[in-house]
PDB file of all heavy atoms in Angstrom:
ATOM      1  N   HIS A 250     -15.482  16.749  -4.775  1.00 98.00           N
ATOM      2  CA  HIS A 250     -14.815  16.248  -3.484  1.00 98.00           C
ATOM      3  C   HIS A 250     -15.886  15.642  -2.606  1.00 98.00           C
ATOM      4  O   HIS A 250     -16.837  16.199  -2.288  1.00 98.00           O
ATOM      5  CB  HIS A 250     -14.228  17.488  -2.846  1.00 98.00           C
ATOM      6  CG  HIS A 250     -13.825  17.173  -1.324  1.00 98.00           C
ATOM      7  ND1 HIS A 250     -12.562  16.865  -0.994  1.00 98.00           N
ATOM      8  CD2 HIS A 250     -14.599  17.160  -0.298  1.00 98.00           C
ATOM      9  CE1 HIS A 250     -12.507  16.645   0.278  1.00 98.00           C
ATOM     10  NE2 HIS A 250     -13.724  16.787   0.715  1.00 98.00           N
ATOM     11  N   SER A 251     -15.617  14.299  -2.306  1.00 98.00           N
ATOM     12  CA  SER A 251     -16.471  13.648  -1.376  1.00 98.00           C
ATOM     13  C   SER A 251     -15.635  12.766  -0.478  1.00 98.00           C
ATOM     14  O   SER A 251     -15.199  11.748  -0.905  1.00 98.00           O
ATOM     15  CB  SER A 251     -17.552  12.813  -2.140  1.00 98.00           C
ATOM     16  OG  SER A 251     -18.421  12.257  -1.226  1.00 98.00           O
ATOM     17  N   CYS A 252     -15.594  13.090   0.755  1.00 96.00           N
ATOM     18  CA  CYS A 252     -14.904  12.340   1.751  1.00 96.00           C
ATOM     19  C   CYS A 252     -15.747  11.081   2.149  1.00 96.00           C
ATOM     20  O   CYS A 252     -16.979  10.997   1.712  1.00 96.00           O
ATOM     21  CB  CYS A 252     -14.591  13.132   3.067  1.00 96.00           C
ATOM     22  SG  CYS A 252     -13.433  14.343   2.854  1.00 96.00           S
ATOM     23  N   GLY A 253     -15.100  10.113   2.805  1.00 97.00           N
ATOM     24  CA  GLY A 253     -15.889   8.945   3.242  1.00 97.00           C
ATOM     25  C   GLY A 253     -15.992   7.832   2.227  1.00 97.00           C
ATOM     26  O   GLY A 253     -15.440   7.899   1.181  1.00 97.00           O
ATOM     27  N   GLY A 254     -16.713   6.818   2.558  1.00 98.00           N
ATOM     28  CA  GLY A 254     -16.917   5.683   1.705  1.00 98.00           C
ATOM     29  C   GLY A 254     -18.041   5.777   0.888  1.00 98.00           C
ATOM     30  O   GLY A 254     -19.212   5.716   1.226  1.00 98.00           O
ATOM     31  N   VAL A 255     -17.813   6.036  -0.458  1.00 98.00           N
ATOM     32  CA  VAL A 255     -18.933   6.331  -1.435  1.00 98.00           C
ATOM     33  C   VAL A 255     -18.862   5.385  -2.531  1.00 98.00           C
ATOM     34  O   VAL A 255     -19.500   5.605  -3.545  1.00 98.00           O
ATOM     35  CB  VAL A 255     -18.877   7.772  -1.990  1.00 98.00           C
ATOM     36  CG1 VAL A 255     -19.008   8.763  -0.882  1.00 98.00           C
ATOM     37  CG2 VAL A 255     -17.507   8.041  -2.652  1.00 98.00           C
ATOM     38  N   MET A 256     -18.295   4.117  -2.392  1.00 97.00           N
ATOM     39  CA  MET A 256     -18.142   3.141  -3.413  1.00 97.00           C
ATOM     40  C   MET A 256     -19.566   2.752  -3.976  1.00 97.00           C
ATOM     41  O   MET A 256     -19.706   2.732  -5.195  1.00 97.00           O
ATOM     42  CB  MET A 256     -17.578   1.902  -2.888  1.00 97.00           C
ATOM     43  CG  MET A 256     -16.047   2.008  -2.787  1.00 97.00           C
ATOM     44  SD  MET A 256     -15.215   2.032  -4.412  1.00 97.00           S
ATOM     45  CE  MET A 256     -13.771   1.023  -4.053  1.00 97.00           C
ATOM     46  N   PRO A 257     -20.613   2.625  -3.046  1.00 97.00           N
ATOM     47  CA  PRO A 257     -21.901   2.198  -3.654  1.00 97.00           C
ATOM     48  C   PRO A 257     -22.529   3.221  -4.550  1.00 97.00           C
ATOM     49  O   PRO A 257     -23.465   3.004  -5.327  1.00 97.00           O
ATOM     50  CB  PRO A 257     -22.793   1.936  -2.486  1.00 97.00           C
ATOM     51  CG  PRO A 257     -21.803   1.672  -1.312  1.00 97.00           C
ATOM     52  CD  PRO A 257     -20.617   2.562  -1.643  1.00 97.00           C
ATOM     53  N   LEU A 258     -22.095   4.556  -4.466  1.00 98.00           N
ATOM     54  CA  LEU A 258     -22.625   5.669  -5.203  1.00 98.00           C
ATOM     55  C   LEU A 258     -22.004   5.913  -6.522  1.00 98.00           C
ATOM     56  O   LEU A 258     -22.406   6.683  -7.385  1.00 98.00           O
ATOM     57  CB  LEU A 258     -22.655   6.975  -4.413  1.00 98.00           C
ATOM     58  CG  LEU A 258     -23.355   6.924  -3.002  1.00 98.00           C
ATOM     59  CD1 LEU A 258     -23.198   8.174  -2.367  1.00 98.00           C
ATOM     60  CD2 LEU A 258     -24.790   6.503  -3.052  1.00 98.00           C
ATOM     61  N   ILE A 259     -20.811   5.322  -6.746  1.00 98.00           N
ATOM     62  CA  ILE A 259     -20.015   5.645  -7.878  1.00 98.00           C
ATOM     63  C   ILE A 259     -20.692   5.473  -9.237  1.00 98.00           C
ATOM     64  O   ILE A 259     -20.619   6.324 -10.091  1.00 98.00           O
ATOM     65  CB  ILE A 259     -18.704   5.037  -7.888  1.00 98.00           C
ATOM     66  CG1 ILE A 259     -17.744   5.635  -6.721  1.00 98.00           C
ATOM     67  CG2 ILE A 259     -17.865   5.128  -9.229  1.00 98.00           C
ATOM     68  CD1 ILE A 259     -16.406   5.086  -6.550  1.00 98.00           C
ATOM     69  N   PRO A 260     -21.455   4.377  -9.481  1.00 98.00           N
ATOM     70  CA  PRO A 260     -22.125   4.291 -10.753  1.00 98.00           C
ATOM     71  C   PRO A 260     -23.054   5.472 -11.024  1.00 98.00           C
ATOM     72  O   PRO A 260     -23.193   5.939 -12.142  1.00 98.00           O
ATOM     73  CB  PRO A 260     -22.829   2.931 -10.637  1.00 98.00           C
ATOM     74  CG  PRO A 260     -22.008   2.128  -9.707  1.00 98.00           C
ATOM     75  CD  PRO A 260     -21.497   3.080  -8.730  1.00 98.00           C
ATOM     76  N   ASP A 261     -23.759   5.910  -9.893  1.00 98.00           N
ATOM     77  CA  ASP A 261     -24.622   7.043 -10.055  1.00 98.00           C
ATOM     78  C   ASP A 261     -23.900   8.329 -10.295  1.00 98.00           C
ATOM     79  O   ASP A 261     -24.317   9.199 -11.092  1.00 98.00           O
ATOM     80  CB  ASP A 261     -25.526   7.146  -8.838  1.00 98.00           C
ATOM     81  CG  ASP A 261     -26.716   6.148  -8.896  1.00 98.00           C
ATOM     82  OD1 ASP A 261     -27.548   6.228  -9.690  1.00 98.00           O
ATOM     83  OD2 ASP A 261     -26.656   5.225  -8.034  1.00 98.00           O
ATOM     84  N   LEU A 262     -22.740   8.534  -9.658  1.00 98.00           N
ATOM     85  CA  LEU A 262     -21.961   9.767  -9.894  1.00 98.00           C
ATOM     86  C   LEU A 262     -21.513   9.810 -11.341  1.00 98.00           C
ATOM     87  O   LEU A 262     -21.482  10.815 -11.936  1.00 98.00           O
ATOM     88  CB  LEU A 262     -20.654   9.689  -8.979  1.00 98.00           C
ATOM     89  CG  LEU A 262     -20.929   9.662  -7.477  1.00 98.00           C
ATOM     90  CD1 LEU A 262     -19.545   9.687  -6.724  1.00 98.00           C
ATOM     91  CD2 LEU A 262     -21.726  11.008  -7.077  1.00 98.00           C
TER      92      LEU A 262
END
Side-chain angles (χ1 to χ4, degrees):
H250 166 97
S251 184
C252 291
V255 296
M256 284 289 219
L258 303 180
I259 288 182
D261 283 294
L262 297 178

